[in-house]
């Protein structure tokens, strides 16, 4: 896979760029649920559902983070050493 310049990370590649987009979406979703959760009382009927959704979003975020870190490590390990 060829290394190329990216708008966000440099150097990057298609895999890292894709995983970065997925990570960003997961972050946005997690923050969206968190904001909704903060606006509800624990007594609200939807609060428990939001807690479950928030937990699921955290797990999704963890998985995206793990994948992105692995891809980033693989990319940086493949770069030539600078002297």
């Amino acid at each position: 896979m060829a290394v190329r310049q990216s708008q966000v990370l440099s150097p990057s590649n298609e895999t890292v760029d894709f995983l970065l987009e997925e990570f960003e979406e997961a972050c946005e979703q997690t923050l969206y649920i968190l904001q909704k959760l903060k606006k509800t009382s624990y007594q609200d009927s939807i609060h428990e559902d939001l807690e479950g959704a928030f937990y699921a979003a955290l797990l999704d975020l963890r998985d995206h983070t793990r994948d992105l870190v692995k891809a980033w490590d693989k990319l940086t390990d493949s770069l030539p050493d600078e002297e």
Side-chain angles (χ1 to χ4, degrees):
M1 196 172 297
V3 174
R4 61 185 176 80
Q5 296 295 334
S6 173
Q7 292 180 354
V8 178
L9 297 175
S10 180
S12 191
N13 63 34
E14 290 178 16
T15 301
V16 171
D17 290 346
F18 172 77
L19 292 171
L20 187 58
E21 288 177 22
E22 293 287 313
F23 174 74
E24 183 177 17
E25 289 176 15
C27 287
E28 290 171 353
Q29 180 66 18
T30 303
L31 290 173
Y32 174 75
I33 295 168
L34 179 59
Q35 290 304 315
K36 287 177 68 173
L37 190 57
K38 288 166 73 174
K39 292 178 182 177
T40 63
S41 166
Y42 69 91
Q43 298 167 337
D44 291 344
S45 60
I46 192 144
H47 193 82
E48 190 173 318
D49 291 339
L50 287 171
E51 285 178 343
F54 183 66
Y55 181 73
L58 288 175
L59 295 178
D60 191 43
L61 187 58
R62 179 193 63 189
D63 293 343
H64 286 297
T65 301
R66 181 195 63 234
D67 295 343
L68 181 57
V69 167
K70 284 182 183 179
W72 183 250
D73 286 344
K74 184 177 179 180
L75 173 67
T76 56
D77 288 346
S78 72
L79 297 174
D81 291 333
E82 292 184 25
E83 291 187 28

